[in-house]
Amino acid sequence: MRSPVLSLVALLLGAARFSYAQSWMPGLEVGDGQLPVVITPTRLRQSLSDVPASVTVITDAMLARYGITSIPDALRLVPGMAVTQAAGNDYRINYHGTNILVPRRLNVLIDGVSQYRPAASRVDWKLLPVDIEDVARIEVTRSPSSASYGPNSMMAVVNIITKHPRDVERFGIFTTFGSQDTRKALARLGATFGNSALRLSVSDERDGGYDELSRDPQAHDGTRLKRLSVRSVTDFDADHSLDLHWSYVAGTLETPWVDASQVTYPDQKLHDYEVGGTWTRRFSPAHELQVRAYRTQHRLRQSWTTCYARGLFLPEIYALWRVDPAYVEALIAGRVPVGRTPADSAAINAAAGAVQRLGAQALVPTCVQPNQDLVETRNDIELQNTYAPSEHFRLVAGLGAREQQGESDTWLDGTVSNMLYRAFASAEYRPWAHVLFNLGGYAERDKLGGSTFSPRAAVNVQVSPHQTVRAAWSKGTRAPDIQEQRVNWSYKVHLDPPLNGRSDARFYQSAVAPGDLSSERIESRELGYILNQPKLGLILDVKLFDDKLTHLISEKPQVAHFAPTNDHEVRLTGAELQSSIELSPSLGAFLNYAYLANRDASLETERSQYSRHSGAAGISAAGGGWRWSLAYYGASGNGVGESRYGRTDVLLARAFTLRDTSWTASLRLSRLDARRLTYYDESGLYPHARYEDRLSLFGQLSVRY
């Protein structure tokens, strides 16, 4: 039987062999003239009425209209998106919630480049290499997207599309300031050189975070970041272009807590860069080839001072922990355990003897400087072929390879690499004018995690000129990361004075990954309905869903207890609604709502981020150079230890022109329903974060020339 990978390769090569007789590619450039056109769900440009999933589109105009100043706050506009700010620079974001400890079932793309960290399966929202001022639109596919983007797109995909260099002003300055010691300044330059256009942005950002944290009354959780991004697009001719980008992010994330015995803060020093390019060649209106390649590197430096009893750095104690942590815990409690085997007894006797020889010195506090330094690198290349052999059929297919690497003496005891190969295809077939079928699949071979295949099938039926119903079925995965599969976790420290003549030592606790994890899985069923009434300016999208998540890796990795399994599951069912109405060119409103039922969770962690009811609503108006808006964002907070969230924003803005310069000034007043936020933690203590005041004020000023 032919493998999924070979089938997809044959499909790709077969598409390339067709003669390109058609003079146009249906739907590639524009939709039906009424609904927005998106590219994220299938990699094909499609009207919202044709996509095989619910999609939320957030435009730059909407961001400005409601005074949204960060990507996480923009995602509060997405029905079913759970956004928890555990600390000033620690966002936990999941579509449909579930595990709040290490959110990693959501993929984020910026101009086609994944921001998913290759070694630790996470998205660092504060460190995204994009300023919100450079965002043209955000497309959020609210369903499993592994059929288009592979493992790690298990629940949803957030696709951030930046502004084309030809669409920005020659020069612009943007500033933000306000409560929580928020300050940001961005300068942007746009220029053209013959057939090339360039956009360069540089920014400096500071944020003071919360006023109080449960583990640190001083709330040491601020952010200091600098960003530099460059994007250039060269159009060699009407059918041939090269899109290049480069970005750099550096700064400090204040970190309040890592270690119960720390005496200094374990702040994170970061240096990230990303470089890549996309070459596009259109051979005919019906055939387009695209090659994308990029490299990302995330460099973290994190060290602190902590003090423990000197005996906990004995090599014999470290060796005994590797045999069985319970033996060490018994020794620390003053008992001498009995070994299960002669080898266990020998290790116990060696550790007990070493402690006895050290005598009273074993209890003397010794201060050391551990670290959690980590370098993550990704190299990726992908070929994508888009072809429309007729007005009834379109196909996109591709091949790719990715090398991922993690380097850390603490986490991995060196360097671990992983190589992945992929093939994918999505097809759109319209046998009749009112019926559209979407089929897709993504196969990946992972050196560490094995092979996976994620299929998707959907049918869209236009029941009237302005109404479409959709039925979709898909499967998705989330591959275990390098740390989960290959962690060799121990803290190497320098002792002064030396211990038994040795300055190099290891803290007694350590962990080694079992290395036998498989991918998390989801099977999703979805029914959708879209109503579009152009005369009323109304768009309504309703979704019913039933998602079964299995083989979940729910345990948080900890050096004191590292035992991840694929033993957990949860079922998510519910309904979502998103709607917008433009009553006039100057008056509009939106309403988004999600109902979620979290059922049959095998571990309470999978109910730690869960709101039965969540949503957002807003209204805005403009006229005479003035603009105002009112919006509310809320979530009922039904998860374990999770508090309810609610915020009201009022914005007033004024725009005017002075000579050749456009000015915009705005003030946003925000009011929280509650100053205190709580969330689930592996300790079971439900930590909290708190602001001193419910009210906060933010100002923005932009100048464009």
Side-chain angles (χ1 to χ4, degrees), residues 232-530:
S232 72
V233 178
T234 301
D235 297 316
F236 300 104
D237 53 48
D239 298 319
H240 187 195
S241 66
L242 179 64
D243 190 336
L244 301 174
H245 73 273
W246 179 82
S247 64
Y248 177 72
V249 182
T252 300
L253 302 184
E254 294 181 347
T255 305
W257 186 88
V258 164
D259 174 1
S261 298
Q262 69 188 40
V263 296
T264 63
Y265 286 119
D267 291 347
Q268 302 178 52
K269 310 289 185 181
L270 302 127
H271 295 273
D272 296 353
Y273 79 85
E274 179 180 294
V275 61
T278 302
W279 175 80
T280 303
R281 182 73 168 94
R282 179 175 290 188
F283 297 98
S284 75
H287 179 216
E288 181 181 276
L289 184 66
Q290 187 178 86
V291 179
R292 173 181 288 117
Y294 65 88
R295 174 182 173 86
T296 63
Q297 186 176 92
H298 313 281
R299 186 176 295 271
L300 166 67
R301 293 288 179 263
Q302 184 182 31
S303 63
W304 66 99
T305 300
T306 187
C307 302
Y308 281 91
R310 194 165 178 80
L312 298 180
F313 299 99
L314 286 165
E316 292 85 357
I317 297 293
Y318 174 84
L320 183 60
W321 179 275
R322 290 269 178 160
V323 173
D324 191 334
Y327 293 152
V328 177
E329 299 296 346
L331 282 178
I332 292 174
R335 305 187 305 273
V336 178
V338 176
R340 292 186 296 269
T341 67
D344 289 359
S345 297
I348 292 170
N349 292 334
V355 172
Q356 291 174 357
R357 288 191 296 274
L358 199 57
Q361 288 293 312
L363 301 178
V364 173
T366 297
C367 294
V368 296
Q369 283 192 313
N371 75 74
Q372 294 187 152
D373 296 350
L374 175 64
V375 179
E376 301 175 82
T377 305
R378 177 194 287 115
N379 297 302
D380 192 287
I381 186 168
E382 179 180 277
L383 181 149
Q384 177 178 297
N385 189 41
T386 306
Y387 180 59
S390 77
E391 62 183 57
H392 301 290
F393 181 74
R394 291 195 299 156
L395 169 71
V396 58
L399 301 169
R402 180 169 69 253
E403 180 191 32
Q404 299 182 167
Q405 180 176 284
E407 179 183 349
S408 174
D409 286 342
T410 297
W411 300 105
L412 303 170
D413 197 27
T415 301
V416 177
S417 297
N418 189 20
M419 196 69 197
L420 306 95
Y421 302 94
R422 63 185 182 272
F424 60 89
S426 291
E428 175 192 274
Y429 176 56
R430 192 184 297 273
W432 303 283
H434 61 285
V435 177
L436 179 72
F437 292 97
N438 280 285
L439 297 173
Y442 191 110
E444 182 169 275
R445 172 63 181 172
D446 182 336
K447 176 183 173 183
L448 295 183
S451 298
T452 60
F453 179 69
S454 301
R456 177 183 57 220
V459 57
N460 295 42
V461 179
Q462 190 177 35
V463 296
S464 77
H466 301 298
Q467 298 181 83
T468 302
V469 295
R470 175 184 66 252
W473 169 88
S474 62
K475 287 187 175 183
T477 60
R478 200 280 294 180
D481 60 47
I482 288 175
Q483 287 192 13
E484 289 170 310
Q485 290 282 51
R486 291 292 184 267
V487 85
N488 190 351
W489 189 351
S490 66
Y491 292 98
K492 302 176 183 179
V493 297
H494 179 79
L495 297 178
D496 186 15
L499 177 61
N500 295 336
R502 297 186 59 179
S503 297
D504 296 330
R506 295 177 188 255
F507 185 61
Y508 75 102
Q509 291 180 333
S510 64
V512 177
D516 58 354
L517 297 174
S518 61
S519 293
E520 297 183 323
R521 303 175 192 173
I522 182 173
E523 183 173 5
S524 176
R525 294 172 175 84
E526 175 183 326
L527 291 175
Y529 168 77
I530 291 183

Side-chain angles (χ1 to χ4, degrees), residues 60 111 129-137 160-164 168-169 174 186-188 199-202 229 231:
D60 58 344
D111 291 331
V130 62
D131 290 287
I132 200 163
E133 293 84 358
D134 287 338
V135 173
R137 59 197 273 134
I160 302 170
I161 301 167
T162 67
K163 294 178 179 177
H164 193 284
V168 301
E169 65 287 326
F174 308 83
L186 178 142
R188 183 169 67 204
R199 188 198 71 219
L200 184 150
S201 298
V202 58
S229 67
R231 182 184 175 193

Side-chain angles (χ1 to χ4, degrees), residues 110-188:
I110 299 179
D111 291 331
V113 176
S114 176
Q115 303 303 308
Y116 204 81
R117 292 298 170 92
S121 285
R122 68 185 188 277
V123 176
D124 287 333
W125 294 95
K126 273 288 190 178
L127 298 177
L128 292 179
V130 62
D131 290 287
I132 200 163
E133 293 84 358
D134 287 338
V135 173
R137 59 197 273 134
I138 303 172
E139 297 179 1
V140 182
T141 305
R142 300 175 0 247
S143 73
S145 295
S146 294
S148 292
Y149 300 98
N152 311 330
S153 304
M154 177 176 175
M155 300 293 291
V157 166
V158 177
N159 188 12
I160 302 170
I161 301 167
T162 67
K163 294 178 179 177
H164 193 284
R166 297 190 188 278
D167 296 333
V168 301
E169 65 287 326
R170 289 170 59 188
F171 183 70
I173 296 177
F174 308 83
T175 61
T176 303
F177 51 90
S179 303
Q180 288 87 55
D181 194 28
T182 298
R183 289 175 288 162
K184 180 179 178 181
L186 178 142
R188 183 169 67 204

Side-chain angles (χ1 to χ4, degrees), residues 81-136:
M81 192 68 73
V83 181
T84 303
Q85 188 177 7
N89 49 47
D90 180 10
Y91 282 94
R92 318 281 179 88
I93 300 179
N94 281 306
Y95 179 59
H96 287 164
T98 62
N99 190 335
I100 198 174
L101 296 180
V102 188
R104 50 194 174 192
R105 296 167 186 160
L106 173 74
N107 202 356
V108 178
L109 308 175
I110 299 179
D111 291 331
V113 176
S114 176
Q115 303 303 308
Y116 204 81
R117 292 298 170 92
S121 285
R122 68 185 188 277
V123 176
D124 287 333
W125 294 95
K126 273 288 190 178
L127 298 177
L128 292 179
V130 62
D131 290 287
I132 200 163
E133 293 84 358
D134 287 338
V135 173

